[in-house]
Amino acid sequence: MFQIRLRQKGRPLIRLRYADEWTGLLVLVSVILFIAAVIEAGVLSDWLEPPARLQVTLPKSGVGGLTVGADVQLLGAHAGTVRRIRLNPSGEMYAVVDLDPQIEPFIRRDSIAVIRKQFVVAGASYLDLTRGSGEKMDWNYAVISAVPETSIVDTINKTFKDIHDEIMPMLANARDITAQIDGLLKDIRAGKGSVGQLMTNDALIRQAEATVVSLNEVVSKLKPVEDQVGGILHKADGTMANVQSVTTDVKKATPHLPAIAKSMDQSMNDLPALLAQAQTSLYTLQKLTNQLRSLWILGGSSSGKGDHRRLPPSEVRP
Amino acid sequence: MMRGIGPGSRAVLLLCAMAAPLAGCGGTVKDPEPSEDSWNQEMDSGRDTLRLGRYKLAETHYLEALRLGRLSNNVMRIGDAGYNLSVVLLRAGLPAEALATAEKTMQDVLLRNNSDYDTRPLSLVMAGALFRLQRYGEVIDRTRQAASVSPADAIARRALFIRGLAADRVAQFSLLNQTIASLSADTRKAPDDETSKADLAELQALASIGSAPVQAAKYAATSADLRKSNDDFKGMVRVLRLEADAAQASGQTGWAQALRQQAEQSEAAYNMKHDVIADVDLTGAMSVSVRSAARAADGVISQ
């Protein structure tokens, strides 16, 4: 077209009255840029891949500063956006949330949403979804509940209240103990009780002195007994010397004990064999006497018993 | 000059002349122990200890005999030792153990497939154990084979007695009367069998206690006397109680009470001995052997 125009020295054969080539080119470039912008903005992706729609029932105490367009996070990552906040006919507030379809598997029926502040106590509110482990969510009617984040101020208040509840009884006890000690000291000072009398009355001291004097007398009387005990201990020493002598004799005899024990052990080893031999001999003697008894000259008979040694049936006694 | 034979020399010659024929007459007896081995010794020791009422020691001997029988794989020795062991257990008041031992012995005997060995003694002791366990129906079944031998021997007569007792317990009086008739006929053929006579009298007492208690008391008294003479004290206690029941039924209440007291005293003494002999050691075994030998020697001396 350009070549056609350049080569035409005279009047062009076909002349477009209301169009220009450069304008057309500009329009085409503009259209292409628009399409590219649309693709870049993700509008198409939104059209092609619609977001998951989740309805979050908000707490009755309020939305906690949650607004349309607020961020929705799952495990600390961006997961969607709050699209609308509505009031249903029963008076409850709920938020409609668009979620990234990729996180659908993480949201289950037991998932909950926590309304948090971006900087704990300040900043924009956002919804923090917890990862569920229960039944799968029916995305045709996906509803979960939201709870407000526990306020740090409330936590601090509660902690202070607990401390107060613990400390106050202790203070009361301490006050009571102090009052009792005070009363005790007053009583002691007034001479009440043994300790008070001890501090205020000299009679007890005098009695103690008299007791000490008596003890001295007792000790002086015990001195002859002590002499007797000394004699007894002397005799005990002699007895112990005798015991020691006996022990020494036993010690001298001890080396012979293993030999004696060994001899006894050998004798005991022979005992079972001896007993067995004695049993066998007695059995043989018994058989011999049986044979002698069966001799006709001694009045016996020659009838044998046979091979069986069964007990007679009369021994079977019901 | 020849001198005449003096009176002393004549006496010596006379003794030698008498001793010569006697020398050929001795030793004809057959040795009752065919082989002098440990099995025979254990069996004899077990028999002696059983006679002394030392059941635990007798059990030890028969267990050893059973082991030796299995060692030699001899069906006769296994069967006899197992039978004796069962009898000892039954006498010691352990019927369940006696039944189990007899059944095991029966299996061991059948395992060796020896048709010559008579298993009726094992059936008999099983019947005795079953009677103690009050399984009377099984007693009747078990004694059927043991009692059906003709001519009846001691085993068959004893089996008839146990069968009659079981029939009485389950009130099968026709079977009881039938058993009495069989046992009566068999006992007439064995007049020396005091045990069978006692058994027969006891069964007759059982059969007649309902209709003729006086006659039943007489039968029971006869049986008690026979059992006492045979050292069957447990059976004697049973028959004394039967006699007491008969005396009670015939109106002799005082005599019945006296009989019951006699039975209780005898049973208490029996159980007391049972307790004393429960713990037996090697010393006991030795003393039993010594006593057996001494008894045998005493018999020789007295003859």
Side-chain angles (χ1 to χ4, degrees):
Chain A
M1 188 168 60
F2 298 110
Q3 288 175 356
I4 293 171
R5 190 173 178 184
L6 290 172
R7 284 173 190 167
Q8 287 178 347
K9 298 294 184 185
R11 192 178 172 190
L13 296 176
I14 302 170
R15 186 166 179 249
L16 296 175
R17 186 173 180 182
Y18 303 105
D20 185 72
E21 294 85 352
W22 290 106
T23 305
L25 182 61
L26 183 61
V27 169
L28 282 175
V29 170
S30 299
V31 168
I32 290 167
L33 285 175
F34 176 73
I35 292 170
V38 166
I39 292 172
E40 181 65 21
V43 176
L44 279 179
S45 67
D46 288 345
W47 291 351
L48 295 173
E49 192 177 5
R53 181 64 52 94
L54 178 67
Q55 192 168 318
V56 180
T57 306
L58 297 173
K60 292 180 179 177
S61 58
V63 299
L66 199 68
T67 57
V68 174
D71 194 18
V72 178
Q73 294 186 2
L74 176 74
L75 302 175
H78 173 75
T81 307
V82 177
R83 290 297 179 201
R84 285 186 296 277
I85 295 178
R86 291 283 186 271
L87 192 68
N88 66 9
S90 62
E92 291 181 340
M93 297 182 76
Y94 64 94
V96 179
V97 173
D98 285 347
L99 292 175
D100 187 350
Q102 291 180 355
I103 67 161
E104 282 184 4
F106 298 98
I107 306 297
R108 302 292 179 101
R109 284 189 184 277
D110 57 344
S111 294
I112 57 173
V114 182
I115 302 171
R116 298 185 191 279
K117 296 283 187 186
Q118 197 169 1
F119 304 109
V120 184
V121 294
S125 297
Y126 68 96
L127 275 177
D128 187 13
L129 301 179
T130 60
R131 182 175 183 172
S133 59
E135 295 180 10
K136 287 183 177 178
M137 181 69 79
D138 179 11
W139 288 99
N140 293 322
Y141 181 70
V143 179
I144 62 172
S145 298
V147 295
E149 186 183 22
T150 306
S151 171
I152 194 164
V153 177
D154 294 342
T155 306
I156 292 169
N157 283 338
K158 187 175 181 304
T159 306
F160 276 123
K161 189 175 183 305
D162 292 344
I163 292 169
H164 175 268
D165 293 344
E166 292 290 330
I167 285 177
M168 287 312 288
M170 290 170 62
L171 288 175
N173 286 338
R175 199 179 298 123
D176 188 39
I177 290 167
T178 307
Q180 287 187 11
I181 290 172
D182 186 49
L184 192 65
L185 289 174
K186 281 179 182 171
D187 289 344
I188 289 172
R189 227 177 273 133
K192 292 179 182 175
S194 301
V195 178
Q197 285 191 359
L198 191 64
M199 292 183 69
T200 57
N201 194 352
D202 294 339
L204 284 175
I205 301 299
R206 282 194 289 276
Q207 284 179 3
E209 286 174 355
T211 306
V212 171
V213 171
S214 300
L215 278 175
N216 282 332
E217 291 175 0
V218 171
V219 169
S220 61
K221 288 177 183 174
L222 281 175
K223 277 190 177 175
V225 179
E226 186 184 354
D227 295 338
Q228 290 178 0
V229 171
I232 292 169
L233 287 175
H234 183 69
K235 288 178 182 176
D237 279 344
T239 307
M240 289 304 293
N242 290 335
V243 170
Q244 196 172 6
S245 173
V246 171
T247 310
T248 307
D249 293 342
V250 171
K251 189 177 178 184
K252 287 176 184 172
T254 304
H256 300 292
L257 285 177
I260 294 169
K262 190 175 179 183
S263 299
M264 286 185 68
D265 188 39
Q266 287 175 349
S267 302
M268 292 300 288
N269 284 338
D270 294 339
L271 195 57
L274 181 65
L275 288 172
Q277 185 65 35
Q279 254 185 319
T280 308
S281 301
L282 287 169
Y283 180 66
T284 309
L285 178 63
Q286 187 181 353
K287 286 195 298 184
L288 178 64
T289 52
N290 283 337
Q291 284 182 333
L292 286 173
R293 288 174 71 182
S294 61
L295 287 176
W296 67 270
I297 195 169
L298 296 176
S301 65
S302 61
S303 59
K305 277 203 253 177
D307 288 346
H308 284 289
R309 287 174 184 273
R310 277 199 301 258
L311 293 168
S314 58
E315 296 293 336
V316 180
R317 294 174 183 174
Chain B
M1 178 182 173
M2 272 184 75
R3 298 179 58 187
I5 299 172
S9 302
R10 272 202 297 270
V12 171
L13 285 173
L14 185 63
L15 281 175
C16 290
M18 288 176 67
L22 289 176
C25 299
T28 56
V29 62
K30 187 179 175 183
D31 191 354
E33 291 80 20
S35 58
E36 295 179 0
D37 62 1
S38 301
W39 186 83
N40 285 322
Q41 187 172 349
E42 295 294 340
M43 293 292 276
D44 288 344
S45 300
R47 183 195 59 212
D48 292 337
T49 48
L50 177 64
R51 282 178 184 166
L52 292 171
R54 296 183 175 274
Y55 302 131
K56 188 69 183 173
L57 191 56
E59 180 188 349
T60 307
H61 285 300
Y62 286 135
L63 277 172
E64 178 63 12
L66 186 59
R67 188 190 71 80
L68 293 169
R70 285 181 178 141
L71 178 70
S72 59
N73 198 24
N74 186 318
V75 65
M76 186 271 291
R77 292 185 173 188
I78 293 171
D80 287 1
Y83 164 75
N84 287 3
L85 179 60
S86 304
V87 170
V88 166
L89 291 170
L90 187 61
R91 292 277 298 273
L94 302 168
E97 288 80 355
L99 180 63
T101 303
E103 286 175 344
K104 179 72 172 65
T105 306
M106 182 75 89
Q107 290 173 3
D108 290 349
V109 169
L110 295 177
L111 181 71
R112 283 156 181 86
N113 197 21
N114 188 334
S115 58
D116 294 338
Y117 187 78
D118 186 8
T119 58
R120 289 184 305 131
L122 289 170
S123 297
L124 179 66
V125 72
M126 275 191 254
L130 288 167
F131 182 82
R132 289 267 190 100
L133 295 170
Q134 302 182 352
R135 292 155 63 177
Y136 302 121
E138 295 175 62
V139 173
I140 294 171
D141 292 340
R142 179 61 68 179
T143 51
R144 186 167 291 124
Q145 182 240 347
S148 63
V149 172
S150 181
D153 54 5
I155 297 171
R157 289 193 293 274
R158 195 64 173 169
L160 278 172
F161 167 62
I162 296 174
R163 191 179 195 190
L165 287 180
D168 176 69
R169 296 292 191 277
V170 295
Q172 291 188 12
F173 299 114
S174 60
L175 179 61
L176 174 61
N177 291 327
Q178 183 186 342
T179 306
I180 289 172
S182 302
L183 186 59
S184 177
D186 294 338
T187 305
R188 276 196 294 273
K189 294 173 189 171
D192 297 334
D193 190 353
E194 299 286 330
T195 303
S196 294
K197 289 179 183 173
D199 294 347
L200 177 61
E202 185 175 347
L203 291 183
Q204 286 172 331
L206 284 171
S208 57
I209 191 169
S211 56
V214 177
Q215 185 63 30
K218 287 180 182 174
Y219 282 134
T222 304
S223 180
D225 290 340
L226 288 169
R227 296 213 186 281
K228 185 163 56 178
S229 63
N230 291 333
D231 293 345
D232 183 3
F233 300 121
K234 192 173 179 59
M236 182 192 71
V237 168
R238 186 178 62 240
V239 180
L240 280 176
R241 291 205 169 107
L242 179 60
E243 186 182 356
D245 291 343
Q248 184 83 32
S250 61
Q252 301 175 359
T253 310
W255 179 233
Q257 185 65 23
L259 286 171
R260 286 201 180 92
Q261 285 185 0
Q262 292 173 31
E264 284 173 8
Q265 288 179 1
S266 181
E267 188 171 39
Y270 181 85
N271 293 333
M272 193 183 299
K273 184 187 177 189
H274 215 77
D275 295 338
V276 169
I277 64 173
D279 187 17
V280 181
D281 54 5
L282 184 61
T283 309
M286 284 294 294
S287 66
V288 168
S289 300
V290 169
R291 250 183 276 178
S292 301
R295 194 172 60 251
D298 185 50
V300 171
I301 291 166
S302 63
Q303 287 175 359

